[in-house]
Amino acid sequence: VQLVESGGGLVQPGGSLRLSCAASGFTFSSTNMVWYRQAPGKQRELVAAITPGGSTNYVDSVKGRFTISRDNAKNTVDLQMNSLKPEDTAVYYCHTGWSVYDYWGQGTQVTVSS
């Protein structure tokens, strides 16, 4: 299993970024996919999740600003982040898992600062 994130960077408050996670090594179309983030000195938190059928779930702090989506033909899951705030600064991780198996990407840094 391999999860490779891309799309992080530095953005000003109010700006937008789109993160992408390329997945391989498992049946992507049948698996839940999740974006987590971890800010310095804080615990890792779930940001957004999407089921194989496209149902989504978000942490309250990003509702209305972030959108998770998936392309089962390309084996990718994206996180569109709009109206970014300094408190969104964190390393963002792509995650999947089933049964006793748990897989993480290497993470991509998102920094929101003027």
Side-chain angles (χ1 to χ4, degrees):
V1 173
Q2 193 170 21
L3 302 171
V4 180
E5 301 100 335
S6 61
L10 173 64
V11 63
Q12 292 187 341
S16 298
L17 279 176
R18 188 176 184 89
L19 306 183
S20 187
C21 173
S24 61
F26 63 101
T27 307
F28 179 84
S29 60
S30 301
T31 309
N32 293 336
M33 298 298 299
V34 186
W35 283 98
Y36 283 81
R37 67 185 178 188
Q38 187 165 20
K42 295 188 176 181
Q43 288 190 330
R44 194 171 293 190
E45 69 169 351
L46 187 151
V47 176
I50 188 166
T51 68
S55 297
T56 59
N57 188 40
Y58 300 91
V59 67
D60 285 347
S61 60
V62 308
K63 285 180 180 177
R65 300 188 298 122
F66 290 13
T67 302
I68 188 172
S69 61
R70 67 190 297 157
D71 187 330
N72 288 338
K74 296 181 178 179
N75 286 9
T76 57
V77 55
D78 291 352
L79 186 67
Q80 177 66 44
M81 305 185 295
N82 299 327
S83 302
L84 283 161
K85 304 175 181 180
E87 51 264 41
D88 295 318
T89 295
V91 178
Y92 284 70
Y93 297 91
C94 182
H95 173 269
T96 193
W98 55 89
S99 183
V100 299
Y101 302 101
D102 200 36
Y103 301 100
W104 296 89
Q106 82 286 355
T108 185
Q109 177 71 47
V110 171
T111 302
V112 185
S113 175
S114 55

